[in-house]
């Protein structure tokens, strides 16, 4: 709890003082130190301020200031005493008040040993790798911006301290320019971590240090993790780390998150900073912006300081700098102040003065001054290798090929084909093994159980439904393996680069391609990844077209049908269906661009150096996705399969299996929607699969497995006897539906209503139900039209 929550006469022990530099320092100097007892003497008639007794003297604080001091109260100590074995603390204390004081002090020490650490850095600086190395978490590490689209939390215990690590999205600055910049800034201000770890790419110091200067402006407790330090060493360049630390006023710790080198030393330094390090290790500095700008900053800062309450949450110097940069978010803060008109007038005068003296506006002048500071600091500390000739790196050689104007697109298509070929060829063997095991398991269960509804539920509902989806696990793992390989190596950023011109022509941004490729895995995180797109227009259009990207949930359907109906050309069929989704996404972007108006922003995206992905990282990411797939089978697919079986099993009849299915509850639903889908060549069983696929696309295969269970049983033995490589379900589908209907079904599944999770994600990211409903309605119309065309064209060709 916080000091402001105590009532008159209550006692507590201080855990920690939160807040920004000068504000926090003032409270500590007044005696509000960890472990000290404090008593509420009285509340003012209007409940503000409040008088406290600490260290033998009385002091008054505003309630808002007291709300920044975390404490352990007597009541919390009493509750802990009753609910926890704290008997050893009672020894030597006969008085209950003394016992409670001892409990309070112990709990305060324990609570004080919990350190909240925020990881902040540029994209591709190794921030999430460091997070994983320290916390053991399994967050995906991609070699392009936009992988971390939300704050991820991990925990670590080290030397008696409990660390809560928060991995914030990668950002180049703390300006109000893009969603992730605002998100990071809001987290640093509102959540106020105990220590900020600024992760910096040692091989790209000048660009990375710009963010560092902005964090210094915020007057937070900061430690720099100079990451990828092995790359700086191998280049032959040298860096005076001690001098750089002194110039920046923050400790600098070399780390290699990939191997864990320097991570222990980093956390040792975090503990020292948290406990209050000596000035030799950390000192607060002001980035010098030049005499004229400093005059403007000081004038605005003094006006803001006339509002004492604002100092609880913000560094007033930081607010002054951002206000002079015309930061919209800070302008809203200043507009709440009593002297806002005076501050606005002062800014206008200072902007005119600076422009007349420096020949540039204050925003550009501040940016230039920060880079001048960075260049000066690096001139004193950084030395390049003696060989000053431009070095043609491995990355340069690879880029000369993969971004070549004639080779770029063929290489991209070839890589996609290799992925799909491997998905089929390598995945076919374990798929057959799993299918064989599922069949044997179903047969064994059927033999052991007595005839009746329970046996039918287990064999035809649970085993047939879940088993029909389980057989495609190898294909899912192979697909994710290759996607991880392209992401972690750095190729995905090149893919965005080569399609930027095409993206721009259809009203999108080159960065839109990254979420589109992520959509091949799952549409939900892909939609969340659009937060990294600065342009509102590009972001909304990208969200709208992402459902056309074939997610991993659709992959089992395509593998099932392509393997059954195109046995000799399955990889080409799969490549074709994925390319169809991309083409229709591009066409749809042109349509949506007519309805979304906004200014486009320039294409700014880093092309990181190629790196050899570690087997551990790729294996972990691949398994995480496989585990999620298995979890979905144990929950959504299992429940869905049971429900589908029940709806197909009741009401009961003795007129045969076929009559039973057609007149069951699910048969009635299928017959009801059949008129709308009959022109596409679907039978009512396929219609049911499409309906259940609204919940999760994997349910389509599960539904087909349940609905065609009788045919599956009949064809399984014959297909095995003929040496056919098809699974039992594939053989049943070939017997039951036509090739044109199968092609139309694949097209419809690709394009129609995304799953419920994607629908909700669209609403959350756009903030509008209307946008989510419009996108889903559009996909349904497009799906029907193109499935109809696919059905008619295929029928004509054969």
């Amino acid at each position: 709890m916080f000091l402001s929550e105590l009532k008159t006469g209550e006692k507590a022990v201080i855990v920690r003082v939160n807040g920004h530099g000068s504000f926090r320092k003032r409270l500590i100097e007044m005696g509000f130190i960890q472990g000290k007892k404090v008593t509420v003497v009285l509340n003012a008639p209007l409940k503000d301020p409040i008088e406290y007794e600490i260290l033998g003297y009385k002091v008054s604080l505003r309630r808002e200031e007291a709300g920044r001091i975390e404490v352990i109260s007597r009541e919390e100590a009493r509750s802990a005493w009753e609910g926890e074995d704290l008997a050893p603390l009672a020894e030597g204390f006969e008085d209950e008040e003394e016992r409670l004081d001892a409990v309070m002090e112990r709990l305060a020490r324990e609570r004080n040993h919990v350190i909240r650490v925020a990881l902040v850095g540029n994209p591709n600086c190794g921030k999430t790798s460091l997070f994983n190395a320290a916390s053991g978490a399994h967050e995906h590490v991609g070699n392009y911006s936009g992988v971390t689209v939300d704050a991820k939390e991990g925990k670590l215990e080290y030397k008696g301290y409990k660390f809560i690590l928060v991995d914030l999205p990668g950002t180049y600055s703390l300006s109000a320019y893009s969603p992730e910049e605002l998100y990071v800034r809001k987290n640093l201000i509102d959540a106020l971590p105990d220590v900020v770890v600024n992760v910096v790419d040692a091989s790209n110091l000048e660009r990375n240090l710009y963010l560092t200067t902005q964090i210094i402006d915020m007057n937070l407790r900061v430690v720099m993790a100079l990451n990828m330090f092995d790359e700086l060493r191998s280049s032959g360049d040298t860096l005076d780390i001690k001098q750089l630390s002194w110039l920046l006023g923050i400790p600098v710790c070399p780390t290699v998150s990939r191997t864990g080198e320097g991570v222990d030393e980093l956390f040792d330094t975090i503990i020292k900073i948290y406990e209050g390090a000596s000035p030799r290790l950390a000192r607060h500095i002001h980035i010098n912006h030049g005499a004229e700008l400093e005059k403007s900053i000081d004038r605005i800062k003094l006006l803001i300081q006339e509002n004492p309450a604002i100092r609880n949450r913000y560094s007033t110097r930081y607010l002054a700098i951002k206000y002079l940069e015309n930061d919209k978010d800070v302008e809203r803060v200043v507009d709440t102040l009593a002297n806002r008109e005076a501050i606005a007038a002062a800014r206008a005068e200072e902007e005119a003065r600076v422009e007349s003296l420096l020949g540039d506006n204050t925003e550009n002048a501040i940016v230039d001054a920060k880079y001048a500071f960075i260049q000066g600091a690096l001139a004193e500390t950084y030395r390049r290798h003696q060989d000053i000739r431009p070095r043609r790196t491995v990355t340069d050689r690879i880029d000369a090929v993969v971004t070549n104007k004639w080779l770029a697109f063929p290489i991209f298509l070839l890589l996609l084909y290799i992925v799909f070929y491997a998905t089929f060829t390598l995945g076919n063997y374990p798929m057959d093994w799993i299918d064989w095991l599922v069949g044997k398991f179903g047969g064994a269960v059927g033999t052991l159980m007595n005839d009746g509804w329970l046996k039918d539920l287990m064999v035809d509902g649970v085993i047939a439904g879940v088993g029909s989806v389980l057989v495609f696990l190898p294909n899912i793992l192979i697909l994710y393996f290759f996607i991880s390989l392209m992401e972690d190596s750095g190729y995905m950023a090149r893919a965005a680069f080569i399609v930027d011109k095409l993206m721009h022509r259809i009203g999108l941004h080159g960065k839109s391609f990254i979420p589109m490729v992520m959509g091949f895995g799952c549409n939900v995180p892909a939609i969340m990844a659009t937060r990294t797109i600065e342009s509102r227009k590009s972001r909304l259009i990208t969200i709208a077209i992402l459902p056309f990207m074939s997610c991993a949930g659709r992959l089992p359907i395509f593998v099932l049908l392509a393997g059954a109906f195109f046995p000799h050309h399955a990889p080409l069929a799969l490549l074709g269906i994925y390319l169809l989704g991309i083409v229709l996404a591009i066409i749809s972007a042109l349509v949506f661009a007519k309805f979304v108006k906004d200014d486009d922003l320039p294409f700014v995206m880093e092309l990181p150096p190629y790196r050899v992905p570690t087997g551990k990282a790729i294996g972990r990411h691949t398994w995480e996705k496989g585990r999620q797939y298995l979890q979905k089978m144990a929950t959504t697919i299992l429940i869905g399969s049971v429900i589908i079986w029940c709806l197909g099993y009741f009401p009961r009849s003795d007129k045969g299996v076929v009559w039973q299915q057609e007149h069951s509850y699910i048969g009635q639903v299928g017959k009801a929607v059949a008129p709308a889908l009959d022109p596409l060549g679907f039978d009512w069983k396929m219609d049911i699969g499409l309906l259940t696929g609204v919940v999760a696309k994997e349910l389509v295969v599960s539904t087909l497995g349940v609905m065609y269970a009788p045919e599956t049983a009949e064809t399984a033995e014959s297909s095995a006897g003929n040496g056919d490589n098809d699974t039992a379900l594939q053989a049943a589908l070939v017997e039951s539906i036509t090739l044109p209907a199968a092609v139309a079904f694949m097209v419809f599944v690709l394009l129609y209503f995304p799953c419920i999770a994607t629908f909700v994600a669209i609403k959350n990211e756009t903030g509008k139900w209307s946008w989510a409903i419009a996108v889903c309605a559009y996909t349904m119309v497009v799906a029907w039209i193109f499935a109809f065309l696919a059905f008619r064209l295929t029928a004509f060709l054969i």
Side-chain angles (χ1 to χ4, degrees):
M1 68 185 305
F2 294 96
L3 188 59
S4 59
E5 299 173 40
L6 296 179
K7 298 177 182 177
T8 301
E10 289 187 332
K11 298 181 179 181
V13 173
I14 294 173
V15 174
R16 77 184 89 204
V17 178
N18 299 312
H20 288 269
S22 58
F23 166 77
R24 181 174 177 274
K25 183 180 179 182
R26 182 175 68 87
L27 289 178
I28 291 174
E29 288 172 348
M30 292 169 66
F32 291 93
I33 306 167
Q34 189 275 325
K36 301 300 180 182
K37 296 177 187 175
V38 60
T39 304
V40 183
V41 178
L42 59 87
N43 280 267
L46 298 178
K47 303 296 183 182
D48 213 358
I50 307 170
E51 186 177 5
Y52 298 97
E53 182 176 349
I54 189 168
L55 297 178
Y57 74 100
K58 295 180 175 64
V59 60
S60 64
L61 292 179
R62 290 188 179 90
R63 183 171 295 274
E64 188 174 1
E65 293 175 334
R68 290 283 174 171
I69 302 174
E70 189 177 344
V71 298
I72 294 290
S73 68
R74 277 270 174 86
E75 288 304 313
E76 285 181 289
R78 185 173 283 108
S79 298
W81 176 270
E82 295 170 354
E84 189 179 340
D85 183 16
L86 299 176
L89 287 176
E91 296 177 4
F93 298 106
E94 296 183 1
D95 183 75
E96 184 180 358
E97 295 293 313
E98 291 181 350
R99 288 197 211 102
L100 288 174
D101 285 347
V103 175
M104 281 195 298
E105 289 174 6
R106 172 186 156 169
L107 293 177
R109 283 195 302 273
E110 290 180 352
R111 190 81 56 84
N112 183 255
H113 277 214
V114 177
I115 307 176
R116 188 176 181 86
V117 177
L119 303 181
V120 181
N122 286 191
N124 304 308
C125 67
K127 178 171 53 62
T128 303
S129 295
L130 180 62
F131 173 80
N132 288 341
S135 68
H138 296 163
E139 292 303 325
H140 178 44
V141 181
N143 200 3
Y144 56 88
S145 64
V147 174
T148 306
V149 293
D150 208 343
K152 308 291 191 305
E153 284 198 5
K155 294 182 180 179
L156 166 71
E157 292 192 14
Y158 179 75
K159 291 189 175 180
Y161 288 84
K162 294 180 180 178
F163 292 88
I164 299 174
L165 305 179
V166 183
D167 180 22
L168 294 172
T171 179
Y172 293 106
S173 75
L174 296 177
S175 303
Y177 186 60
S178 67
E180 72 269 17
E181 289 172 350
L182 286 171
Y183 184 89
V184 172
R185 191 165 75 179
K186 182 177 175 63
N187 194 284
L188 293 179
I189 292 171
D190 294 343
L192 195 63
D194 297 311
V195 178
V196 174
V197 173
N198 176 210
V199 186
V200 169
D201 180 356
S203 64
N204 204 338
L205 286 170
E206 186 171 356
R207 190 207 64 204
N208 278 241
L209 289 177
Y210 180 73
L211 176 62
T212 306
T213 62
Q214 293 188 314
I215 297 173
I216 290 171
D217 288 339
M218 298 183 80
N219 198 7
L220 300 170
R221 289 183 285 185
V222 185
V223 177
M224 179 186 291
L226 191 63
N227 204 28
M228 304 182 191
F229 194 70
D230 55 332
E231 294 187 11
L232 186 142
R233 281 195 304 245
S234 63
S235 69
D237 299 344
T238 59
L239 179 68
D240 187 340
I241 294 175
K242 186 176 181 180
Q243 180 66 10
L244 180 64
S245 175
W246 176 253
L247 292 173
L248 296 176
I250 59 177
V252 178
C253 303
T255 60
V256 182
S257 57
R258 183 171 52 84
T259 63
E261 178 186 340
V263 173
D264 287 349
E265 291 78 4
L266 172 66
F267 280 91
D268 288 336
T269 306
I270 292 172
I271 293 171
K272 291 176 184 177
I273 294 296
Y274 175 72
E275 295 291 357
S278 66
R280 288 182 300 175
L281 183 63
R283 63 194 180 99
H284 178 57
I285 68 162
H286 288 169
I287 304 297
N288 192 330
H289 296 85
E292 299 306 326
L293 278 173
E294 287 297 329
K295 287 180 183 177
S296 301
I297 292 169
D298 286 342
R299 182 182 177 186
I300 302 297
K301 182 180 75 173
L302 290 172
L303 288 170
I304 293 174
Q305 286 178 349
E306 292 179 11
N307 305 269
I310 199 73
R311 303 178 70 175
N312 298 344
R313 294 190 64 212
Y314 300 95
S315 158
T316 51
R317 177 177 170 83
Y318 165 77
L319 287 180
I321 292 170
K322 284 298 175 187
Y323 194 63
L324 286 167
E325 288 183 318
N326 297 299
D327 186 290
K328 301 301 180 185
D329 204 45
V330 169
E331 284 179 350
R332 284 190 287 270
V333 174
V334 172
D335 286 343
T336 64
L337 304 180
N339 61 338
R340 56 186 175 275
E341 293 179 358
I343 298 173
R347 179 176 69 172
E349 292 174 7
E350 293 303 319
E351 285 177 335
R353 185 181 69 83
V354 168
E355 189 159 358
S356 65
L357 291 172
L358 304 181
D360 206 347
N361 61 47
T362 53
E363 182 176 0
N364 290 339
I366 288 172
V367 172
D368 290 343
K370 278 183 162 55
Y371 273 110
F373 171 85
I374 293 167
Q375 289 163 2
L378 292 179
E380 290 190 39
T381 59
Y382 183 62
R383 294 290 179 272
R384 286 195 176 276
H385 189 260
Q386 292 298 322
D387 184 5
I388 60 174
R389 293 172 299 174
R391 290 172 289 183
R392 188 172 172 81
T393 64
V394 173
T395 292
D396 294 332
R397 295 189 184 99
I398 297 174
D399 277 344
V401 177
V402 301
T403 63
N404 180 277
K405 66 177 181 178
W406 301 110
L407 297 176
F409 284 101
I411 288 174
F412 178 66
L413 293 176
L414 177 62
L415 287 175
L416 283 182
Y417 178 77
I418 291 172
V419 170
F420 297 137
Y421 182 81
T423 299
F424 267 100
T425 306
L426 299 180
N428 194 53
Y429 298 103
M431 185 177 74
D432 289 342
W433 301 335
I434 295 173
D435 184 59
W436 181 82
L437 287 173
V438 169
K440 290 296 182 182
F441 181 66
V445 171
T447 302
L448 293 173
M449 296 183 69
N450 296 323
D451 290 341
W453 69 269
L454 184 58
K455 172 184 173 180
D456 293 341
L457 169 63
M458 290 300 300
V459 176
D460 297 333
V462 175
I463 298 174
V466 177
S468 61
V469 180
L470 179 63
V471 297
F472 298 104
L473 176 62
N475 307 90
I476 295 290
L477 293 177
I478 292 169
L479 177 69
Y480 272 116
F481 172 81
F482 280 101
I483 290 178
S484 299
L485 197 63
M486 289 193 289
E487 288 175 346
D488 293 3
S489 65
Y491 177 75
M492 221 49 107
R494 273 72 185 178
F497 173 76
I498 64 178
V499 301
D500 175 61
K501 188 172 184 179
L502 174 63
M503 293 285 110
H504 188 72
R505 285 182 176 176
I506 62 175
L508 290 178
H509 192 283
K511 282 187 178 180
S512 298
F513 188 72
I514 296 299
M516 289 171 70
V517 175
M518 290 179 69
F520 289 154
C522 180
N523 288 166
V524 175
I527 288 170
M528 295 172 65
T530 59
R531 297 175 188 174
T532 63
I533 303 173
E534 294 87 353
S535 166
R536 174 181 172 273
K537 176 181 179 180
S538 291
R539 188 162 61 250
L540 288 176
I541 295 175
T542 305
I543 289 172
I545 66 175
L546 275 173
F548 291 133
M549 298 296 101
S550 182
C551 66
R554 296 180 175 104
L555 181 64
I557 308 166
F558 299 147
V559 172
L560 174 75
L561 296 174
F565 292 91
F566 302 95
H568 303 297
H569 304 287
L572 281 175
L574 195 56
L575 177 61
I577 201 75
Y578 272 70
L579 290 179
L580 175 63
I582 294 173
V583 170
L584 288 178
I586 292 172
I587 295 172
S588 298
L590 293 171
V591 174
F592 282 106
K594 304 294 183 183
F595 301 96
V596 183
K597 303 298 181 183
D598 196 14
D599 292 332
D600 281 330
L601 296 173
F603 176 70
V604 180
M605 184 173 179
E606 180 187 3
L607 292 181
Y610 288 99
R611 294 189 173 95
V612 178
T614 63
K616 181 180 178 181
I618 292 180
R620 185 168 57 189
H621 178 229
T622 302
W623 169 242
E624 282 296 309
K625 295 303 180 183
R627 184 175 60 82
Q628 292 172 14
Y629 188 71
L630 290 172
Q631 285 177 341
K632 186 177 282 190
M633 280 192 291
T635 53
T636 307
I637 307 303
L638 175 61
I639 295 170
S641 298
V642 171
I643 293 173
I644 293 162
W645 178 86
C646 290
L647 292 175
Y649 194 78
F650 299 103
R652 295 300 297 150
S653 171
D654 297 328
K655 297 183 179 180
V657 175
V658 176
W659 194 96
Q660 167 67 36
Q661 276 195 337
E662 291 187 4
H663 292 81
S664 65
Y665 295 126
I666 203 166
Q668 295 172 35
V669 173
K671 295 294 180 64
V673 300
L677 298 174
D678 281 346
L680 309 182
F682 305 161
D683 63 23
W684 66 271
K685 295 179 183 180
M686 299 165 71
D687 300 343
I688 294 297
L690 295 174
L691 291 176
T692 58
V694 169
V695 179
K697 290 297 176 281
E698 293 90 345
L699 274 174
V700 175
V701 174
S702 176
T703 303
L704 296 178
V706 174
M707 300 307 298
Y708 288 96
E711 290 89 338
T712 301
E714 294 172 7
T715 57
E717 188 174 342
S718 62
S719 62
N722 293 331
D724 199 333
N725 288 328
D726 283 354
T727 65
L729 178 55
Q730 286 176 322
L733 291 174
V734 171
E735 291 290 329
S736 303
I737 64 178
T738 64
L739 174 60
V743 173
F745 193 77
M746 292 173 69
V747 172
F748 198 91
V749 167
L750 170 72
L751 304 175
Y752 88 118
F753 189 98
C755 67
I756 293 295
T758 302
F759 177 77
V760 173
I762 294 173
K763 181 268 173 186
N764 289 340
E765 293 303 312
T766 61
K768 296 179 180 179
W769 282 111
S770 58
W771 191 256
I773 293 170
V775 168
C776 293
Y778 177 79
T779 61
M780 291 294 290
V781 173
V782 171
W784 197 98
I785 292 172
F786 280 88
F788 178 80
L789 293 174
F791 177 71
R792 295 299 178 187
L793 182 60
T794 307
F796 173 77
L797 292 176
I798 65 173

